[in-house]
Amino acid sequence: MHVGFLGLGVMGTPMALRFAHAGTPLLVWNRTPARAEPLRAAGAEVAADSAEVFARTEVAFLMLADEVAVDAVLARGTADFAGRVRGRTVVHMGTTSPEYSRALAADVHAAGGRYVEAPVSGSRVPAQQGQLVAMLAGDEDAVAAVRPLLAPLCRETFTCGPAPGALLMKLAVNLFLITQVTGLTEAFHFADRQGLDRGLFLDVLDAGPMASAVSRMKAPKLLHGDFAVQAAALDVLKNNRLIAESARAARLASPLLDTCHALFEETVELGHGDADMVAVLHALEARTAGARP
């Protein structure tokens, strides 16, 4: 049985390659055809269009940029939607609003398909290493069928009840990630502007109780001015907005998130949206440069 995979971006490409290298019979598609060539070289088949993926597979993984892209690939809102999802399992791995996912699940079920949320925690490097953490939600039988398929991609998988439980869990995890990396970057900026040895600062941090897998991945990037993307600032801003919207809908305070939201908006406005999230350093530097004595 072929597994379908649609969306070969920063995260989708290494995830699909993990499937291919594990020997999973794989049929892939991407809006920009050239991005599928590494998958072809790894032994995957490349579909001519997204419709072919649904015609030839029983399980289709979607790692797409946003809600508009998901709707387009599924032909949602058109007469073709039912034909694409009927009798198949749609696995939504991207990060969208929980409300959108709840409505999509209802539409897939009404058309005779099965639906699973499977957002992941982790950036490009963990995706390359098969060290992602997946959160799954949906019908129990569909989740049970999808979970073992994720073994080449994930070191852990967690079941989060019915949809949109997995996306809400992902947003909660991302709230901590965003504030953590922003805090690390601000601390690095403080140490640098106070004239401290930046490498020594990071050594002290790494030896203490605040060290984490995230700090050990992001701190060297700050030290060397390496803004090559692992998790793009523009994507972080999108996630920040989704979390803020969910917080407002539930009448929850989110003061740290709101501060990060402003900083990532400034980072994108400064032209660093395609850089790694540690590029929030540029927003901090711009604020420092404009600060009054």
Side-chain angles (χ1 to χ4, degrees):
M1 179 188 73
H2 275 80
V3 166
F5 197 100
L6 301 97
L8 301 173
V10 170
M11 290 291 290
T13 294
M15 291 165 69
L17 284 170
R18 293 290 305 182
F19 275 133
H21 292 154
T24 304
L26 193 63
L27 178 64
V28 303
W29 176 84
N30 191 72
R31 184 178 59 180
T32 305
R35 289 191 176 180
E37 290 311 308
L39 274 299
R40 194 194 303 275
E45 292 188 61
V46 178
D49 53 35
S50 59
E52 182 184 350
V53 177
F54 294 99
R56 294 180 54 197
T57 65
E58 295 178 24
V59 179
F61 290 88
L62 280 58
M63 191 61 179
L64 299 166
D66 53 31
E67 298 166 4
V68 173
V70 173
D71 285 348
V73 161
L74 293 173
R76 191 175 177 212
T78 76
D80 293 330
F81 174 72
R84 293 197 182 188
V85 306
R86 184 182 299 115
R88 296 174 181 85
T89 300
V90 175
V91 185
H92 173 34
M93 301 194 77
T95 305
T96 59
S97 75
E99 294 75 17
Y100 169 83
S101 185
R102 183 185 287 111
L104 178 59
D107 286 353
V108 170
H109 290 150
R114 303 197 300 175
Y115 180 79
V116 174
E117 288 178 348
V120 295
S121 182
S123 57
R124 181 176 56 84
V125 171
Q128 292 171 333
Q129 298 172 343
Q131 293 294 304
L132 297 171
V133 174
M135 293 144 277
L136 288 82
D139 297 335
E140 288 185 12
D141 58 342
V143 169
V146 167
R147 194 171 189 176
L149 294 177
L150 292 170
L153 280 61
C154 302
R155 62 180 175 82
E156 293 274 6
T157 57
F158 295 91
T159 301
C160 302
L167 271 167
L168 285 168
M169 186 69 74
K170 171 69 184 292
L171 295 184
V173 169
N174 277 2
L175 195 161
F176 180 44
L177 172 66
I178 292 168
T179 55
Q180 181 185 27
V181 174
T182 305
L184 169 65
T185 305
E186 185 173 333
F188 178 85
H189 177 63
F190 175 87
D192 182 35
R193 292 305 178 97
Q194 293 287 0
L196 300 179
D197 182 313
R198 299 181 305 169
L200 179 60
F201 162 68
L202 294 179
D203 287 343
V204 173
L205 176 67
D206 196 46
M210 287 80 72
S212 68
V214 171
S215 69
R216 288 173 177 142
M217 181 178 295
K218 296 302 185 184
K221 294 179 73 63
L222 288 166
L223 181 62
H224 300 296
D226 173 16
F227 300 107
V229 67
Q230 293 173 339
L234 185 60
D235 290 335
V236 173
L237 179 58
K238 168 197 157 184
N239 276 264
N240 205 313
R241 286 173 175 156
L242 290 173
I243 301 165
E245 288 168 2
S246 291
R248 298 295 88 80
R251 302 179 67 84
L252 301 175
S254 56
L256 294 179
L257 179 76
D258 297 342
T259 296
C260 294
H261 195 163
L263 285 166
F264 276 97
E265 280 187 332
E266 293 164 26
T267 302
V268 172
E269 288 169 1
L270 288 167
H272 304 291
D274 293 333
D276 189 73
M277 65 188 298
V278 295
V280 72
L281 178 66
H282 296 301
L284 293 166
E285 289 174 338
R287 285 196 183 192
T288 294
R292 293 180 180 179

